Amino acid sequence: MLTTHPFDDDKLREECGVFGIYGADTAAAMVALGLHALQHRGQEAAGISAWDGHSFHTHRAMGHVAGNFDRDDIIRALPGKMAAGHVRYATTGDTALRNVQPLYADLASGGFAVAHNGNISNAMKLKRDLVRRGSIFQSTSDTEVIIHLVATSSYRTLLDRFIDALKQIEGAYSLVCLTPEGMIACRDPLGIRPLVMGRVGDAYVFASETVALDMVGATFLRSVEPGEIVIVSDKGVRSHRPFAPISPRPCIFEHVYFSRPDSIVDGTSVYSVRKQIGVELARENPIDADYVIPVPDSGTPAAIGYAQHSGIPFELGIIRSHYVGRTFIQPGDGIRHLGVKLKHNANRALIDGKKIILIDDSIVRGTTSLKIVQMMRDAGAKEVHMRIASPPTRHSCFYGVDTPERAKLLAAQMSVAEMADYIKVDSLAFLSIDGLYRALGEEARDEGKPQYCDACFTGDYPTHLTDQEDVAPADQLSLLGERAA
């Protein structure tokens, strides 16, 4: 089986998106709409849990939101005015239904459902301790650790038990939880993973991105602040800040690639930032050429910015088909090499005999870039130059992004010149880390106190990586089959 995303398979992938709503007559239907807007954040599975005032109802399924939650009978089976949903992209381990979120459990305080975006970097250590104390795990997702920590806490109230659980967790998380007492939404103290709050009518909405608020007609109120817990119930909206304040480090790659360009992240238009990234890239790495060509679709805004600043015409030299299914079963190895053309094809009439600049958002393993460059050569390009709208990705992410191990990251193994030879381009250049910060409105990266989590570029991890430091690789797989979604 070959995926029909030959250009996307070599990307860093955000693991999931969350969406929750409290106070809507058709809560589950609203969640399904919100998840449609977040589908890009996770395409392997989706789930919705709802509370009708008496019971919890959950439907989880492998695959996209469409096809699983566009049936009236499924939505009718999820009654209630409070619901939460999740789209998932797994990292390692199996992709079984038991790992699809929201995860649900009956606790002493009542039912508890949780949808999680991020990765708990000490989950394996916590799981070992919990198992020794008698906990029985039903999934291989680190998200289940949160449920067990809440269940085993010695504090009396659910809120205090929840806070107790969070204080034992390292890493990144944005959570939307359903309880009989109301909805809980929270964000890790560094704000690594995003979470926003909105309102539609009398209902409150939480989502990974503002584009999901747009989908349901909700008005953006604000971002959930790093380290903040927001509780929505029949008593109104309450905010708690149980953590000592620290300088936030939101994920910088949300601006580069993860978020949809029509979202607003940290008060800034993602599309505008990506265009400005292109401007900075053109300032730092000019080259003479006939056309600036984006690698669709993520390279398009940066390519527009590069073209506008350089004065070189922007053209669509790679045409993407939007009508191909997610996977294609190959009838034989003999045509496997044709799979790349299922999704994209060179605009030969434009490219033939021309010097072109390809703009892409990143290079991970380099396999995709190699295919793209060869496609341009086959179409008759005279020269192929590549400009990357981010710094070299030299380090793995442990905060909720599917990243290859460092040994498989091309930039961790080769110099830029060696990478250029490997992917067979006439020249290759990356945006500098300071250029990326300038595109975000900063003068430069503050080496003493970085404004973002940029560990995938710099190796500067903002939290402890307990599981990476304390557990051997073989034990990691046996103790916890996958990182969270």
Side-chain angles (χ1 to χ4, degrees), residues 48-64:
I48 296 176
S49 293
W51 163 253
D52 65 5
H54 304 283
S55 303
F56 283 87
H57 309 270
T58 297
H59 182 79
R60 301 180 298 163
M62 306 304 297
H64 289 190

Side-chain angles (χ1 to χ4, degrees), residues 293-355:
I293 293 174
V295 177
D297 288 320
S298 57
T300 301
I304 293 172
Y306 193 104
Q308 289 177 348
H309 182 79
S310 66
I312 300 171
F314 170 95
E315 293 287 355
L316 297 179
I318 302 171
I319 306 302
R320 177 183 174 185
S321 170
H322 294 269
Y323 305 102
V324 180
R326 186 161 181 258
T327 59
F328 177 78
I329 300 173
Q330 294 287 345
D333 290 339
I335 65 164
R336 187 171 297 275
H337 68 283
L338 298 179
V340 69
K341 295 185 178 180
L342 287 170
K343 202 75 174 181
H344 301 84
N345 193 39
N347 188 351
R348 181 178 296 271
L350 177 79
I351 293 168
D352 191 19
K354 297 297 190 295
K355 296 183 291 184

Side-chain angles (χ1 to χ4, degrees), residues 101-115:
Q101 299 187 33
L103 297 183
Y104 173 82
D106 286 307
L107 309 184
S109 57
F112 186 86
V114 57

